[in-house]
DNA sequence: TTGTACGCGTTATCAC
DNA sequence: GTGATAACGCGTACAA
């Protein structure tokens, strides 16, 4: 064990510092930003006082306050967030983590809504939103390192499947985390979700009430909670009505996947008069496939979608669908993380948004 | 002017530090991460030596090196990036700035490709990509502050229109910036673009060579360089062929906008036998509108799009289009910023990718 | 109300 | 090779 010894440190006034050798030739000439020390010197006060003025201005005389503010304006001073972060351990930024092979980012309206909703509540709290994409592999590890080493105050995770323990690793690190959509691999997580089971049940019940008797489903991937829950709701409604729930195929929540799944479903069960599709993206493909078989929607086959994030209203015919209030959910996730950062204790139990239907022409 | 005086500072060894009062009750209990000092103490060396081991391990004896590495492993030490950032003025992260009303993020494949391309080259340089969305307003200012205060090493900006001086402000701050697509409001910027004029000319020439004589265009917004250039190319080709270039309408690069623009175009110029559309998103709407009028593509009207970012191959009929090599461009922008960060001097002149056609069934 | 002194965790520059 | 120590720029007990 080594004791490093004793050092004598002299704090010099700003003007006295010899910064002669600071001709660093690295890229663009960014002239050194003014520091708090320079502000203090210019205002004729100590750094502590200058600092107080910046952080609220309490406990400071009007005289000193004005002197400091003048100096700040004159020098064009901006606090260095990195130094401030080191001292306070807060960054003023929150990450939106999207653990997806990023091809999906472009095609799925889900993420757009998450971004919209989250920025809403983060902006209100004056927090910077940082979108971090974590694909499996190196990108994944670097993202975890970035997120768990104090570069952000918290994270909102728009995850769906178990991503080689990304979710768990983030939570275990102690980083304040909120999930949009219930994660599969984290136990007591703070999350905001919608009632997927209830939504699917509602949609299926609607089909039943309107005379459909042979109702199939294009379900989602069963490694995603939404996929599981929406299938469950469909089954519950059918069994409650004493109808058979044997017409099931699985898609992957994409348009081509939905098309392929729908073809399988209709080939195996040509007698269907109603289809509940677990996402609008897939349902839009279902509409196309049904039409390609010369059958009419909704007259011959009623189609019910899920999500209502934009596509549903642009299909022909427009899709009846279950509303997935993603933007509101993300906004709630935002306020939730803001509260957590404010030290408000939060029970780690899901916030669940109720399901509602948007009725259009397809069912 | 105040001299702050003289302070005497004693550096104690790691073990001797009294951290008794560090029971901060803020949110989740994140146990303090081990510091370099603890590693050094555990390894029986100075911080300087421990630091050397971490940063390359040069100029260190094997003995010391192994001791430090053992200590690191045992304590689970991870360097604090914030402290490192403060000392080195480098963060290891690069921002992808998207100055858009974020509704577009979800519908435009352009951004997905930018993300893909950029992460490619940033990952290769082990840099963390941070997506920053800067909408006009408060979000805008906060983003500028975030980007210009040392929280990122550089920025790649996927901008299109003049965004109340966002581009200029970033460049003026001295932050290394690379633009994907030539910016309108910055003079000598580092940017990577494609030959939009040439692409539009190529497409129009193709239509002419294949017998079209009345060729209109659905142009893009004229406050965007791509919109301007693609219109120019169309005009150039027509005037070179001695054909009239009077059938022009303007869309906004979205599907509904393209539909509306196409309707106007066809209403004003019912005699068109060819249409050059400045983006595939709009062109897909053009296909629909032409079909709605009972005219056949390409027999009655040939349609040529621009971008080839996914939609073109899924329309009916598939679109002939100009290839916009966005992913390659973004990758190049990435290597460019990496080089700038490495201190390699870069002439601030545009890198321009040549235009190529993707021929399908619509023309 | 103000200033002093110390701490945040690293890197970098020196002497040895 | 190695260790002491001065930055990096700021927040904040504590004492006055």
């Amino acid at each position: 064990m080594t004791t490093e010894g004793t050092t004598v440190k002299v704090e010099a006034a700003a003007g006295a510092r010899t910064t002669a050798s600071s001709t660093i030739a690295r890229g663009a000439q960014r002239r050194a930003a003014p520091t708090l020390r320079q502000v203090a010197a210019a205002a004729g006060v100590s750094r502590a006082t200058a600092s107080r003025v910046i952080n609220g201005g309490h406990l400071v005389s009007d005289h000193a306050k004005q002197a400091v503010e003048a100096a700040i304006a004159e020098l064009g001073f901006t606090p260095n967030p990195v130094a401030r972060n080191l001292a306070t351990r807060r960054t003023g930024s929150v990450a939106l983590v999207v653990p997806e092979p990023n091809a999906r980012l472009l095609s799925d309206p889900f993420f757009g809504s998450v971004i919209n909703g989250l920025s809403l509540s983060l902006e209100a709290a004056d927090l910077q939103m940082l979108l971090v994409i974590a694909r499996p592999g190196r990108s994944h590890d670097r993202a975890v390192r970035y997120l768990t080493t104090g570069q952000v105050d918290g994270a909102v995770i728009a995850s769906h499947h178990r991503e080689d323990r990304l979710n768990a690793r983030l939570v275990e690190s102690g980083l304040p985390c909120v999930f949009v959509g219930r994660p599969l691999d984290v136990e007591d997580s703070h999350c905001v979700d919608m009632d997927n089971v209830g939504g699917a049940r509602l949609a299926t019940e609607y089909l039943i009430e309107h005379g459909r008797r042979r109702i199939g489903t294009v379900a989602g991937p069963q490694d995603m909670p939404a996929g599981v829950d929406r299938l469950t709701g469909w089954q519950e409604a059918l069994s409650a009505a004493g109808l058979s729930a044997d017409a099931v195929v699985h898609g992957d929540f994409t348009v081509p996947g939905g098309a392929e799944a729908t073809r399988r479903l209709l080939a195996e069960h040509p007698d269907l008069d109603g289809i509940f599709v677990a996402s609008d993206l897939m349902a839009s493909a279902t509409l196309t496939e049904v039409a390609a078989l010369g059958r009419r929607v909704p007259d011959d086959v009623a189609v019910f979608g899920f999500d209502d994030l934009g596509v549903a209203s642009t299909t022909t015919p427009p899709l009846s669908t279950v509303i997935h209030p993603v933007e509101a959910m993300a906004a709630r996730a935002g306020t939730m993380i803001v509260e957590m950062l404010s030290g408000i204790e939060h029970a780690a139990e899901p916030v669940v948004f109720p399901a509602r239907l948007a009725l259009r022409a397809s069912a």
Side-chain angles (χ1 to χ4, degrees), chain A residues 159-222:
Chain A
S159 174
H160 298 296
H161 15 218
R162 38 191 126 230
E163 292 280 342
D164 38 329
R165 292 190 23 85
L166 171 65
N167 299 342
R169 287 170 69 187
L170 292 180
V171 171
E172 284 164 7
S173 80
L175 181 75
C177 289
V178 173
F179 294 86
V180 176
R182 168 172 55 91
L184 276 174
D185 51 356
V186 184
E187 283 298 311
D188 299 307
S189 61
H190 297 252
C191 80
V192 20
D193 203 352
M194 78 163 287
D195 182 6
N196 282 298
V197 177
R201 198 187 317 115
L202 233 49
T204 310
E205 284 169 357
Y206 181 91
L207 290 173
I208 297 171
E209 284 163 13
H210 288 71
R212 310 295 168 167
R213 284 298 169 266
R214 277 297 288 151
I215 303 174
T217 187
V218 177
Q222 295 304 293

Side-chain angles (χ1 to χ4, degrees), chain A residues 201-215 237-238 241 243 272-275 298-304 320-321 357-363:
Chain A
R201 198 187 317 115
L202 233 49
T204 310
E205 284 169 357
Y206 181 91
L207 290 173
I208 297 171
E209 284 163 13
H210 288 71
R212 310 295 168 167
R213 284 298 169 266
R214 277 297 288 151
I215 303 174
L238 289 182
L243 296 175
L272 295 183
D273 59 3
I275 307 180
D299 300 343
D300 301 331
V301 182
V303 175
F304 220 106
S320 287
T321 190
L357 301 184
L359 297 177
R360 301 209 175 83
S362 73

Side-chain angles (χ1 to χ4, degrees), chain A residues 2-361:
Chain A
T2 321
T3 300
E4 291 197 6
T6 306
T7 89
V8 178
K9 172 174 147 197
V10 177
E11 284 207 5
R17 300 184 66 213
T18 21
T19 36
S21 66
S22 62
T23 322
I24 309 163
R26 182 200 285 158
Q29 249 64 336
R30 218 186 309 190
R31 73 168 176 290
T35 76
L36 185 60
R37 175 186 262 113
Q38 292 171 22
V39 170
V45 300
S46 70
R47 276 183 14 225
T49 301
S51 180
R52 286 186 200 105
V53 172
I54 288 163
N55 303 331
H58 306 302
L59 274 337
V60 183
S61 68
D62 278 355
H63 180 69
K65 189 167 177 176
Q66 283 167 24
V68 171
E69 278 165 352
I72 289 177
E74 189 189 355
L75 275 64
F77 170 78
T78 309
N80 179 329
V82 177
R84 182 178 263 177
N85 177 3
L86 183 59
T88 62
R89 299 166 169 292
R90 300 208 64 170
T91 66
S93 57
V94 168
L96 169 54
V97 184
V98 181
E100 292 289 332
N102 49 29
R104 274 198 60 187
L105 238 183
L106 75 159
S107 60
D108 200 326
F110 175 79
F111 294 110
S113 299
V114 172
I115 292 174
N116 281 330
L118 187 59
S119 20
L120 229 57
S121 35
L122 291 187
E123 275 177 22
D126 200 42
L127 290 165
Q128 173 68 43
M129 182 180 82
L130 260 26
L131 213 167
V132 172
I133 292 166
R135 295 178 297 183
R138 284 176 52 191
S139 148
H140 203 300
D141 290 337
R142 184 167 348 88
V144 169
R145 203 188 328 141
Y146 184 83
L147 296 169
T148 59
T149 50
Q151 320 237 52
V152 296
D153 294 338
V156 171
I157 298 130
S159 174
H160 298 296
H161 15 218
R162 38 191 126 230
E163 292 280 342
D164 38 329
R165 292 190 23 85
L166 171 65
N167 299 342
R169 287 170 69 187
L170 292 180
V171 171
E172 284 164 7
S173 80
L175 181 75
C177 289
V178 173
F179 294 86
V180 176
R182 168 172 55 91
L184 276 174
D185 51 356
V186 184
E187 283 298 311
D188 299 307
S189 61
H190 297 252
C191 80
V192 20
D193 203 352
M194 78 163 287
D195 182 6
N196 282 298
V197 177
R201 198 187 317 115
L202 233 49
T204 310
E205 284 169 357
Y206 181 91
L207 290 173
I208 297 171
E209 284 163 13
H210 288 71
R212 310 295 168 167
R213 284 298 169 266
R214 277 297 288 151
I215 303 174
T217 187
V218 177
Q222 295 304 293
D223 64 338
M224 297 166 70
V228 175
D229 291 354
R230 293 174 189 180
L231 177 58
T232 303
W234 171 80
Q235 287 165 332
E236 286 183 7
L238 289 182
S239 73
L243 296 175
S244 124
D246 61 332
V248 181
V249 293
H250 295 278
D252 64 355
F253 281 161
T254 71
V255 173
E260 192 271 330
T262 303
R263 279 194 293 274
R264 277 205 329 268
L265 182 68
L266 291 173
E268 293 170 18
H269 307 276
D271 58 328
L272 295 183
D273 59 3
I275 307 180
F276 166 65
V277 188
S279 92
D280 289 342
L281 237 41
M282 296 200 295
S284 70
T286 299
L287 293 178
T288 313
E289 294 301 323
V290 170
L293 261 54
R295 311 188 62 184
R296 312 184 77 86
V297 175
D299 300 343
D300 301 331
V301 182
V303 175
F304 220 106
F306 206 117
D307 278 345
D308 197 35
L309 296 173
V311 269
S313 52
T314 65
T315 55
T316 40
L319 274 169
S320 287
T321 190
V322 183
I323 297 172
H324 191 179
V326 177
E327 194 163 319
M329 288 165 57
R332 185 71 186 80
T335 61
M336 207 152 156
I337 198 111
V338 168
E339 288 168 6
M340 290 169 71
L341 297 181
S342 318
I344 298 178
E345 277 310 317
H346 244 290
E349 59 183 28
V351 171
V352 180
F353 280 61
R356 293 184 307 128
L357 301 184
L359 297 177
R360 301 209 175 83

